[in-house]
Amino acid sequence: MLKDYRILLAACVIAVGAMLLSIAKLVTPGYKAHQKAYAKLTGSTDFEIGVKQINVETKAGLLVDRCTTCHLGAANADAAAFDQPLRTHSEICPGLAEQPHDLNKIGCSICHEGNGRAIDETDAHGHFKHWLSPLLVGREAQASCAKCHYMGAGTLLGAETYLRGKELFVEKVCYACHTIRGLSDGKSAPELTDAGDKFTLAYLKESIVVPTANLATSTMPKFNWTQEADTIAALAIFLKGQRLNKLRDEASAPIGMLAAEQTFASVIEPSVAAGEALFKGAFSGHLQLRGGCINCHAVKNSEGLVQGGENGPELTYVGRARSAAYMASHIRNPKEDALDTIMPPFRHLSDTEIDSLVLYLQSLDYTLPRTPEPTAQALFSNYCMSCHGQNLDGNGSIAALLDPLPRDFTAYQFVASYKDRFVNSIREGVAGGAMAPWQNILTEEEIESLVTYIVSTTEDRQSRFVRMDVSLPKPGDPERHRFRDETRTLEAGDITSGQDAFQKFCASCHGMLANGKGPNAYALKHPLPRDLINKKFLNQSSVTDERLYRSILLGVAGTPMPSHDHLADQTILDIIAYLRSISRDTN
Ligand code: HEC
Ligand code: HEC
Ligand code: HEC
Ligand code: HEC
Ligand code: HEC
Ligand code: HEC
Ligand code: HEC
């Protein structure tokens, strides 16, 4: 009993205390103390205590700014020794004889955001939940220069961090996926022209560091430099500066260009050196967007030293695996070869630049030393692991960004015929995705040993494999009647019936459009449903009607692709006809 009484008493004391505190806050707003201190420090006798307000006329309407209610000394050169919030503003444009902005006229929130109307510190600084524009502190305020200044070209004194962010937007290849009008036209990601109107600085930083924070299925690469605080800050400040709602239009904007625009030394003749420069992001000048492949692709030099990102396959071997024409067309339009790739198209590169990139890729000559003879495991680690994973489970360091995903060998139930298929796939690659042909890099013996290695790690599963021997039925075949209807013989596949059947039995995983993105697709374990309109995949010679028939009837062992042995042979023939009709080039 006694204990309960004490708790009650303590609660009452706390409640009354809190009430008194909030009343005190209402009666004496914080700004009065600052104003009294300022009056005392400046020795002014006629200082009027009260809310100070600056009205700024802008294109978007009247902006009310009461920040100077507390920040009294910002425009007073004699207040340099005072404590905040009373101190003289630091130089916004260091080095200029006279600061160009009159803080008594434009106030503070125009650059620092926050909430200009508020006179309470927390509210004014915008530090409350869901406020879209919390205070931009120090150099973060550079995100606001573009509200008035035209930043399309040149250099603005005092906006160095913003301009560094702009360079980084190019250097780190953001431009290739994201559009910012007037700067880039990437089409594979949300437009960022008005990122500053829509997002807080914190959100922008988070989107760069953890792309999946707001969208679990984000295909935005996770970059390996995202621990560099300065880089992130500059990029985010630059993006925060992207606005559609400007305070001045371009014509009336003060230009403030203090340095001539740099220009890119254009490539005149294709060369390995120019290719290497482009690969590493040969960028200079604020309007020239060039290359930057190294943010996604690593390469090894002749000594085997690796350099580069992990958002795409290592390209050390691609110059030997692929033809020059393949590489050139892949750089211009990667979707032509890999429909669902995240690699952005580099259509703006000139022929000379593309040729240089190809020459550079062809110049890479590292091969795993052949003496002493490498083990299959060593071959696998060097050539295959980044995709197929250390444990052969298809979960290599770059796997998540690929579509189709690398094969998970641990899930496979192997039969003899898979060995041939695998040898063939390694030799010639699998069209329509990232699995390259290795015949020019690996010897036949090495390929054989890799397949043995892959298969041997899951040997125990082989015994569990049960499979009927099935073969593709031919229309009119007297031996193969319609399933559950012995009276009629099979006809050639019908596209329309095939489409209906596909919507009924297959669309949940493969999607209504057959692009592999059905509602159930992402709930599946590795690998995802195949994109069946991927022409390169479906039209390669190894994907015969026979194989399609077997895969549909029996499923694909070790993957979520289920068997459909409840379907009539006729239905499967119809579906195959449908798949051929949507995947074949019609022109
Ligand atoms: C009620 C008084 C008050 C008002 C109103 C106020 N501030 Fe402040 N401000 C302060 C104080 C006090 C500090 C110093 C805080 C500190 O040092 O922790 C400060 C600090 C700052 C800083 C530096 C922050 C930092 O972390 O270095 C900026 C920038 C700033 N204010 C901008 C503004 C802007 C913009 C407005 C108007 C939207 C505004 N303030 C309105 C009291 C105020
Ligand atoms: C033209 C844009 C602009 C305006 C207007 C502006 N600031 Fe700043 N402010 C900046 C920039 C940029 C910096 C960072 C300067 C630096 O890097 O030292 C800054 C820095 C600051 C700082 C922290 C740095 C320091 O030296 O203490 C405070 C506090 C601050 N501003 C307050 C204000 C207040 C209060 C007002 C309104 C009277 C105001 N600012 C108006 C751009 C602006
Ligand atoms: C509210 C609009 C506005 C904002 C925001 C603004 N400026 Fe200005 N700025 C001006 C105007 C107007 C002038 C021209 C002043 C004049 O003609 O004397 C100017 C002039 C300048 C100049 C001098 C240009 C020259 O050629 O002499 C520099 C440098 C500059 N601003 C830098 C900045 C930086 C850095 C920022 C962001 C931190 C910024 N400004 C934010 C309006 C703005
Ligand atoms: C391979 C293409 C690709 C590249 C390269 C890329 N992004 Fe993205 N980015 C995306 C996609 C797709 C999304 C949308 C999904 C999401 O929200 O993550 C996105 C989202 C964002 C968002 C959040 C936008 C919103 O609407 O929520 C920001 C900010 C962003 N990216 C910034 C960057 C920056 C900065 C870079 C360069 C360092 C970059 N991106 C490089 C594809 C890319
Ligand atoms: C945002 C990351 C990203 C950027 C930037 C990027 N790539 Fe890619 N690239 C990929 C991915 C992922 C793949 C694998 C899927 C595919 O084939 O498109 C790939 C595949 C390739 C391939 C085909 C490899 C093969 O064997 O099939 C080539 C060649 C290539 N990239 C060259 C380049 C060049 C050159 C650049 C710079 C101009 C570049 N990439 C920029 C992500 C990127
Ligand atoms: C750039 C990533 C990448 C690298 C490197 C890579 N693979 Fe693949 N691999 C894939 C992808 C993606 C698939 C799935 C292709 C598909 O099904 O469309 C695949 C599929 C396979 C398959 C199954 C093919 C089939 O017919 O089902 C085999 C076997 C294979 N890879 C072996 C290897 C070997 C051996 C190496 C090393 C010499 C290697 N891979 C290197 C990405 C890669
Ligand atoms: C439970 C989800 C699911 C359903 C339902 C499904 N599939 Fe699949 N399908 C998959 C997955 C996952 C793969 C990828 C397996 C792989 O990479 O080989 C796949 C692969 C395939 C392939 C490629 C096979 C090969 O040999 O490489 C074909 C063709 C295919 N599906 C057709 C169909 C058709 C037709 C239907 C309907 C009768 C269907 N699928 C129903 C999940 C599904």
Side-chain angles (χ1 to χ4, degrees), residues 92-93 96 100-101 106 110-111 141-142 144-145 148-149 156-159 248 254 256 258:
I92 294 170
C93 313
L96 283 191
H101 310 101
I106 61 173
I110 214 160
C111 287
Q142 291 184 15
S144 301
C145 311
C148 296
H149 290 277
L156 183 71
L157 194 69
R248 287 168 173 249
L258 296 181

Side-chain angles (χ1 to χ4, degrees), residues 158-339:
E160 285 71 21
T161 306
Y162 173 97
L163 294 167
R164 176 69 192 130
K166 186 175 176 183
E167 276 177 5
L168 284 164
F169 188 75
V170 174
E171 219 173 282
K172 305 293 186 191
V173 293
C174 323
Y175 79 93
C177 292
H178 290 282
T179 290
I180 289 180
R181 261 173 261 168
L183 183 69
S184 65
D185 62 353
K187 297 279 187 303
S188 31
E191 183 171 343
L192 295 175
T193 310
D194 56 350
D197 294 326
K198 290 202 313 222
F199 305 123
T200 62
L201 195 68
Y203 177 94
L204 291 168
K205 282 187 184 162
E206 186 190 46
S207 295
I208 301 167
V209 179
V210 198
T212 46
N214 296 293
L215 185 66
T217 52
S218 173
T219 54
M220 172 157 151
K222 171 121 183 53
F223 297 99
N224 55 5
W225 43 261
T226 41
Q227 66 288 354
E228 297 166 20
D230 275 353
T231 307
I232 302 301
L235 269 166
I237 288 169
F238 166 69
L239 291 180
K240 181 69 195 161
Q242 302 312 307
R243 299 166 182 277
L244 284 177
N245 305 319
K246 302 220 160 100
L247 299 178
R248 287 168 173 249
D249 51 32
E250 223 157 88
S252 68
I255 300 290
M257 241 205 311
L258 296 181
E261 193 190 333
Q262 297 155 294
T263 46
F264 178 70
S266 59
V267 182
I268 294 162
E269 230 174 273
S271 71
V272 173
E276 179 168 4
L278 282 163
F279 192 83
K280 298 193 169 152
F283 164 81
S284 71
H286 297 305
L287 290 176
Q288 300 281 352
L289 317 176
R290 267 20 195 173
C293 325
I294 202 161
N295 287 284
C296 290
H297 293 289
V299 288
K300 289 196 189 92
N301 68 7
S302 316
E303 275 79 54
L305 213 70
V306 193
Q307 203 194 352
E310 289 205 321
N311 295 311
E314 180 189 332
L315 292 182
T316 311
Y317 313 101
V318 73
R320 285 163 276 174
R322 306 282 197 189
S323 69
Y326 182 95
M327 286 188 278
S329 101
H330 199 95
I331 297 168
R332 247 186 221 108
N333 185 14
K335 291 203 184 333
E336 182 80 12
D337 302 312
L339 197 65

Side-chain angles (χ1 to χ4, degrees), residues 1 22 49 72 103 115 130 195 226 238 260-262 319 327 333 337 360 362 372 450 457 527 534 550 578-579:
M1 267 321 256
S22 58
I49 301 283
L72 292 151
L103 299 187
N115 178 359
H130 301 312
T226 41
F238 166 69
E261 193 190 333
Q262 297 155 294
M327 286 188 278
N333 185 14
D337 302 312
Y360 168 65
Q362 285 174 329
L450 275 166
T457 57
N534 186 328
R550 292 170 66 101
Y578 165 66
L579 293 178

Side-chain angles (χ1 to χ4, degrees), residues 68 71 74 84 87 89-90 92 103 106-108 111-112 138-139 141:
T68 46
H71 290 279
Q84 282 305 18
R87 198 188 302 149
H89 200 285
S90 54
I92 294 170
L103 299 187
I106 61 173
C108 320
C111 287
H112 288 283
R139 63 177 184 174

